[in-house]
């Protein structure tokens, strides 16, 4: 009689998504870099026998603060109920606000915060969920504080007569000798902007005709190569900045010489 051995139970394959995020400023620091995060998370997956199905990466810049990959990752979880594991470096890499926290709580995802050495899932102890909530609030406070400090710096610059943000048409952002970011006339665009005021001041041309003359003289957005629309020309002609003063947050400031 041949005895049949019981088959060994097959170990369930854990499928996961991987998420890494960094801002352009943080990218300068090796500890925050995308390659460093990816290596950490991939090594973790390999050690624990986790199969990474997709990797999602967001690199935020001053011009682009949205998280496209974050949204795609959420869609992936909703579309594939069989995947319920996420690997991420730490709490502040995943959440930027309380809405993100609620989103993942509703998704019922098991989250591995690899660098923090913690794991969060539906049946986590209440004390673990509480501590996680504290970390989320700390991450949000950090982001709020950065935003607040940025607003303070811009307000201080305005009070010093320095335009505090992105240079308007005809100017460019530069670093002055004192180390602060200021604006100065763009040698390629400023002469055309000056002509705008001369043309319009004659009373001989409509706003649309002034815009057409400016385009004929080569006025374009250098970053995109697209023509400057009539609405933008209108804003230039109404902007006090071109006459020496400027308005910021509802107040008028004299421009620094």
């Amino acid at each position: 009689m041949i005895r049949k051995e019981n088959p060994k139970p097959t170990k369930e394959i854990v499928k996961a998504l991987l998420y890494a995020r960094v801002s352009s400023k943080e990218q300068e620091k090796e500890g925050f870099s995308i390659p460093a995060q990816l290596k950490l998370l991939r090594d973790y997956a390999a050690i624990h026998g986790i199969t990474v199905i997709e990797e999602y990466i967001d690199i935020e810049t001053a011009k682009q603060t949205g998280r496209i990959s974050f949204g795609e990752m959420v869609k992936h979880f909703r579309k594939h109920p069989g995947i319920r594991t996420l690997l991420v470096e730490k709490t502040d890499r995943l959440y930027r606000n309380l809405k993100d926290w609620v989103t993942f709580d509703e998704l019922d995802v098991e989250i591995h915060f690899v660098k923090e050495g913690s794991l969060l899932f539906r049946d986590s102890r209440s004390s673990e969920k509480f501590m996680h909530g504290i970390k989320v609030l700390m991450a949000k406070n950090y982001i709020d504080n950065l935003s607040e400090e940025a607003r303070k710096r811009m307000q201080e610059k305005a009070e010093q007569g320095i335009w505090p943000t992105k240079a308007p048409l005809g100017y460019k952002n530069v670093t002055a000798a004192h180390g602060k970011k200021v604006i100065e006339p763009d040698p390629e665009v400023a002469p055309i902007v000056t002509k705008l005021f001369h043309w319009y001041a004659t009373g001989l041309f409509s706003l649309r005709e002034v815009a057409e003359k400016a385009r004929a003289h080569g006025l374009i957005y250098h970053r995109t190569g697209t023509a400057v629309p009539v609405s933008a020309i209108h804003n230039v002609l109404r902007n006090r900045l071109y006459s020496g003063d400027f308005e910021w947050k509802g107040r008028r400031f004299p421009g620094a010489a």
Side-chain angles (χ1 to χ4, degrees), residues 36-62:
Q37 290 183 49
L38 293 178
K39 183 179 187 307
L40 175 72
L41 300 177
R42 289 167 182 166
D43 289 349
Y44 178 89
I47 291 171
H48 292 83
I50 298 173
T51 300
V52 176
I53 303 300
E54 288 286 348
E55 297 182 352
Y56 292 91
I57 298 171
D58 276 316
I59 300 177
E60 299 170 330
T61 67

Side-chain angles (χ1 to χ4, degrees), residues 171-222:
Y171 289 90
K172 63 179 181 178
N173 294 102
V174 298
T175 302
H178 50 58
K180 294 182 179 179
K181 295 286 186 179
V182 299
I183 59 173
E184 67 177 24
D186 185 329
E188 294 184 23
V189 183
I192 305 175
V193 173
T194 301
K195 285 183 171 64
L196 290 177
F197 288 91
H198 290 313
W199 292 328
Y200 197 66
T202 63
L204 301 175
F205 308 102
S206 67
L207 184 61
R208 183 170 298 278
E209 289 171 332
V210 168
E212 290 174 353
K213 288 175 69 67
R215 285 195 287 266
H217 279 72
L219 185 62
I220 59 172
Y221 290 120
H222 286 299

